[in-house]
Amino acid sequence: MDKIRNFCIIAHIDHGKSTLADRLLETTSTVVGKDMQAQVLDDMDLERERGITIKSHAIQMQYVHNGETYTLNLIDTPGHVDFSYEVSRSIAACEGALLIVDASQGIQAQTISNLYMAIDNNLEIIPVINKVDLDSAKPDEVEDQIVDLLGCGRDEIIRASGKTGIGVHDILEAIVERIPAPKGDKDAPLQALIFDSVFNPFRGIIAYFKILNGTIRKDDFVKFVNTDKEYHADEIGVLKLQMSPRQELSAGNVGYIISGIKTSKEVRVGDTITHVDAPCKNAIEGFEEVKPMVFAGVYPIETEDFENLRSSLEKLQLNDASLTFQPESSVALGFGFRCGFLGLLHMEIVQERLSREFNMEVITTVPNVSYRIYDKKGGMTEVHNPAGLPDLTLIDHIEEPYIRSSIITQTDYIGPIMTLCLGKRGELVKQEYISGNRMELIFDLPLGEIVIDFYDKLKSISKGYASFDYHLHDFRESKLVKLDILLNGDPVDALSTLTHFDNAASFGRRMCEKLKELIPRQQFDIAIQAAIGAKIIARETIKAVRKDVTAKCYGGDVSRKRKLLEKQKAGKKRMKQIGSVEVPQKAFLAVLKLD
């Protein structure tokens, strides 16, 4: 066991984690020849296209140091704030972490939040400055920032380059020398923590685990403590580039188990595996349940695909435990699911994965957050969907979630960033210099305001230099109203939103104008209205497509023309009574991009 090292790589998005992981795998000859490609651990097409890591990936390497062979279990983690749950699970399975900082960009917001997560779990931190080969690199300045942040000595910081391979041997040596070996007793009852799982159409569900105590052998009779289900371990092994079967694994190791599990509800991330005949006394304290930030309705385009969508979401949930969903129905869209996501990028990725991996084309409604509704009797209900809002006469007040956000930026962009945050009803908590011309702004912001386009705007006004990180802070009372969109007098529940009273009129007006552009013209007039309760606050009209019924009149009396026009008018009136308006999918999406 003293020859095992478990570590993860943490950093802000785009600081070169996956490239550095490639060099580690290449140096230890874990991946050779034709298997070697850029970002070898990012095995999803989506990850390669976007150049981001979405899933944590575990892989085992062998490294010889001073004549001894060490087993290194590496977990590469995502860097985007929307996938921080993946990072928390990886950290739970490790004893040490490589903290990677880009030599040209310095410390950014996600670096700090991931670092604090690692320190809370008592991980040994090895600071690495990556991309030192770039012309724009400022290694001395970044070194100062790391010393300020960690309080470590300058000699502990390793300078490296994922592209050229500088410093990779130093990193591997530091992993062996500085990161402690896992603690545990291989003769104690089996106690293993499930930190991830994947669905395989041929072999069922494959669970990834880390053994804290005990030993597991092939064909053992094991049980999952939380779900209380029992299985035979058909195959166990370690994660190389492909799965590599083993006869037994003991404490300190990271591996996988295949036991022919068919239903996704039986595997829970954070669950404990133990033996049926000699169980451990108590389950491992797992990680906390994930709290979704953004909610949106996901509906199949064809109603009969509802059950297929359910099974696709269940399979996706295995691989992405931060996705939550429950059934709901909508007048406009039929049956679907109310899904909880960690952020807008997470929502976009889930939509893409449903389309690519399961061939499910879906309609997604306007994203919103959860609100607390207090009625006049003092009761409280949580509402994730504007359609679930009780009657206005019964509501005493509404509370909305606020986040505590940290924005790290250069001093040149402070003005525009403050304007943006204050325009989103933000409150400045504090601002402080980190080093040189870099500053940290701490704002309290309503989550509902930043959910749609805040991150994109922040990136564009700071020319990509501002980094953003947040966590849920508290709920505060707000003057919120439900804004309904009516088409010919009928409310479209998929377009209704909860918004602040001050923004309602302008938001309603912009929404009506946008829908007027997108809804195709019909044979009759369509009235698009925005309403708060019974009060109409904005209106646009899509004029009817008219046929020229008087074209066949050559001369003659004007009364002949009038008679034809009156007949057409009556027909239009009758058509309006029975005509239904089709709202295209792009109209639902356009609401997200109103600005």
Side-chain angles (χ1 to χ4, degrees):
M1 230 170 101
D2 54 357
K3 298 284 186 292
I4 297 175
R5 300 287 183 271
N6 299 321
F7 69 99
C8 58
I9 300 183
I10 55 176
H12 189 82
I13 190 168
D14 231 8
H15 280 209
K17 294 176 293 301
S18 301
T19 311
L20 199 62
D22 290 352
R23 294 295 82 74
L24 295 174
L25 296 175
E26 202 171 43
T27 309
T28 56
S29 305
T30 308
V31 181
V32 287
K34 68 179 190 317
D35 289 333
M36 192 65 225
Q37 52 176 342
Q39 280 93 34
V40 72
L41 291 180
D42 293 349
D43 52 9
M44 239 186 274
D45 293 344
L46 207 52
E47 292 179 312
R48 298 187 156 280
E49 282 168 28
R50 292 178 175 238
I52 56 174
T53 305
I54 294 167
K55 283 289 303 163
S56 298
H57 296 273
I59 191 163
Q60 192 176 88
M61 308 180 275
Q62 305 294 330
Y63 177 62
V64 180
H65 178 65
N66 295 342
E68 303 266 3
T69 302
Y70 288 84
T71 299
L72 311 181
N73 289 313
L74 153 70
I75 303 181
D76 178 28
T77 63
H80 195 281
V81 63
D82 278 12
F83 305 110
S84 53
Y85 185 65
E86 289 283 329
V87 182
S88 74
R89 289 170 22 194
S90 312
I91 285 173
C94 294
E95 282 81 37
L98 295 182
L99 177 76
I100 293 182
V101 183
D102 186 324
S104 57
Q105 297 189 48
I107 285 173
Q108 293 190 278
Q110 198 58 26
T111 317
I112 296 176
S113 74
N114 286 345
L115 170 69
Y116 287 156
M117 212 187 289
I119 290 172
D120 288 344
N121 282 279
N122 298 321
L123 265 62
E124 178 65 37
I125 309 288
I126 300 175
V128 177
I129 298 177
N130 194 20
K131 307 190 186 180
V132 292
D133 58 316
L134 291 180
D135 297 336
S136 57
K138 305 180 288 259
D140 296 333
E141 195 178 307
V142 175
E143 210 167 78
D144 293 339
Q145 292 174 20
I146 293 174
V147 171
D148 285 347
L149 183 67
L150 277 176
C152 60
R154 287 179 180 276
D155 52 338
E156 292 175 41
I157 302 170
I158 300 169
R159 296 189 180 191
S161 161
K163 191 175 266 185
T164 59
I166 304 166
V168 171
H169 281 289
D170 299 340
I171 293 173
L172 287 164
E173 279 178 21
I175 290 166
V176 170
E177 287 164 7
R178 293 196 221 165
I179 292 177
K183 297 178 181 65
D185 179 1
K186 62 180 182 186
D187 301 319
L190 176 67
Q191 205 182 22
L193 171 76
I194 298 178
F195 67 87
D196 203 357
S197 55
V198 291
F199 177 78
N200 183 309
F202 305 107
R203 312 204 62 181
I205 290 156
I206 303 168
Y208 297 163
F209 59 81
K210 181 200 177 183
I211 306 176
L212 298 193
N213 290 305
T215 303
I216 185 170
R217 294 175 183 80
K218 190 175 184 301
D219 296 324
D220 275 358
F221 198 32
V222 297
K223 84 165 180 180
F224 290 12
V225 177
N226 284 355
T227 51
D228 219 21
K229 302 274 188 189
E230 299 177 355
Y231 309 99
H232 282 282
D234 299 337
E235 184 184 305
I236 60 165
V238 296
L239 298 152
K240 297 276 189 171
L241 194 56
Q242 267 75 38
M243 291 183 288
S244 170
R246 296 281 186 274
Q247 285 304 310
E248 72 166 58
L249 290 172
S250 58
N253 262 305
V254 173
Y256 69 89
I257 177 170
I258 300 176
S259 46
I261 305 171
K262 296 289 185 291
T263 53
S264 47
K265 288 191 179 70
E266 293 176 24
V267 180
R268 302 270 290 283
V269 166
D271 203 348
T272 306
I273 305 176
T274 188
H275 282 128
V276 173
D277 47 2
C280 56
K281 285 197 180 73
N282 40 23
I284 300 162
E285 292 294 314
F287 356 87
E288 75 284 358
E289 280 292 303
V290 61
K291 296 183 190 69
M293 293 281 195
V294 178
F295 296 87
V298 172
Y299 294 86
I301 287 178
E302 299 296 334
T303 324
E304 55 266 28
D305 287 341
F306 175 72
E307 280 306 322
N308 294 351
L309 179 60
R310 183 197 294 274
S311 66
S312 304
L313 282 168
E314 281 176 357
K315 287 169 188 168
L316 198 55
Q317 196 178 33
L318 276 175
N319 198 239
D320 181 356
S322 52
L323 171 69
T324 59
F325 62 91
Q326 61 197 52
E328 73 161 8
S329 64
S330 149
V331 182
L333 301 170
F335 290 102
F337 293 92
R338 191 91 196 142
C339 297
F341 307 97
L342 292 182
L344 275 192
L345 177 69
H346 186 213
M347 176 173 133
E348 207 177 305
I349 295 294
V350 166
Q351 218 172 330
E352 278 276 321
R353 287 183 70 183
L354 281 172
S355 162
R356 289 178 186 218
E357 294 171 30
F358 305 102
N359 256 344
M360 289 300 310
E361 293 301 328
V362 294
I363 291 176
T364 312
T365 64
V366 183
N368 53 34
V369 298
S370 60
Y371 297 93
R372 289 180 178 172
I373 314 290
Y374 289 85
D375 59 32
K376 291 184 175 166
K377 294 175 183 169
M380 189 273 283
T381 48
E382 278 214 354
V383 172
H384 306 310
N385 183 352
L389 201 68
D391 193 88
L392 288 174
T393 53
L394 305 174
I395 297 172
D396 181 52
H397 66 275
I398 304 176
E399 288 186 352
E400 65 174 332
Y402 267 69
I403 56 163
R404 175 67 53 94
S405 65
S406 151
I407 299 169
I408 296 178
T409 180
Q410 294 182 348
T411 45
D412 316 357
Y413 307 115
I414 297 263
I417 288 173
M418 280 198 169
T419 311
L420 172 69
C421 294
L422 295 170
K424 298 279 185 188
R425 298 189 284 127
E427 294 171 16
L428 181 64
V429 179
K430 66 171 182 181
Q431 58 186 74
E432 57 188 10
Y433 281 94
I434 300 177
S435 63
N437 69 337
R438 289 163 64 77
M439 201 166 191
E440 182 177 30
L441 300 170
I442 302 222
F443 269 96
D444 282 353
L445 288 155
L447 183 60
E449 290 279 343
I450 68 153
V451 91
I452 291 180
D453 57 356
F454 178 81
Y455 194 65
D456 298 344
K457 282 186 176 173
L458 180 71
K459 281 288 178 202
S460 58
I461 61 177
S462 66
K463 300 191 170 57
Y465 279 109
S467 61
F468 179 63
D469 180 53
Y470 61 88
H471 60 267
L472 199 59
H473 187 53
D474 57 6
F475 278 77
R476 300 184 192 177
E477 190 177 327
S478 288
K479 195 176 179 186
L480 298 165
V481 289
K482 182 184 173 192
L483 183 73
D484 285 314
I485 298 294
L486 313 175
L487 293 180
N488 277 348
D490 298 327
V492 182
D493 56 354
L495 289 172
S496 59
T497 50
L498 272 174
T499 182
H500 195 267
F501 181 76
D502 298 344
N503 305 340
S506 63
F507 186 65
R509 199 172 304 116
R510 296 208 315 268
M511 227 151 133
C512 290
E513 286 165 4
K514 195 76 182 171
L515 289 171
K516 184 181 179 182
E517 292 169 24
L518 294 167
I519 294 176
R521 289 170 73 187
Q522 313 277 338
Q523 296 271 332
F524 51 90
D525 283 3
I526 304 170
I528 305 169
Q529 295 165 311
I532 298 173
K535 184 183 176 190
I536 305 292
I537 55 169
R539 172 183 169 128
E540 294 285 336
T541 308
I542 300 175
K543 296 309 264 178
V545 181
R546 288 187 56 188
K547 181 183 172 189
D548 188 0
V549 286
T550 57
K552 60 187 178 189
C553 291
Y554 293 103
D557 192 3
V558 73
S559 59
R560 282 183 64 198
K561 286 188 178 178
R562 192 170 294 132
K563 191 175 166 187
L564 288 168
L565 288 169
E566 288 297 329
K567 194 174 170 188
Q568 183 187 37
K569 194 173 167 185
K572 293 273 184 211
K573 196 171 179 183
R574 193 169 62 249
M575 200 185 285
K576 187 175 182 176
Q577 285 169 355
I578 56 171
S580 62
V581 185
E582 287 194 1
V583 184
Q585 159 69 0
K586 62 183 178 199
F588 292 106
L589 298 178
V591 179
L592 312 187
K593 301 186 176 72
L594 272 180
D595 292 339

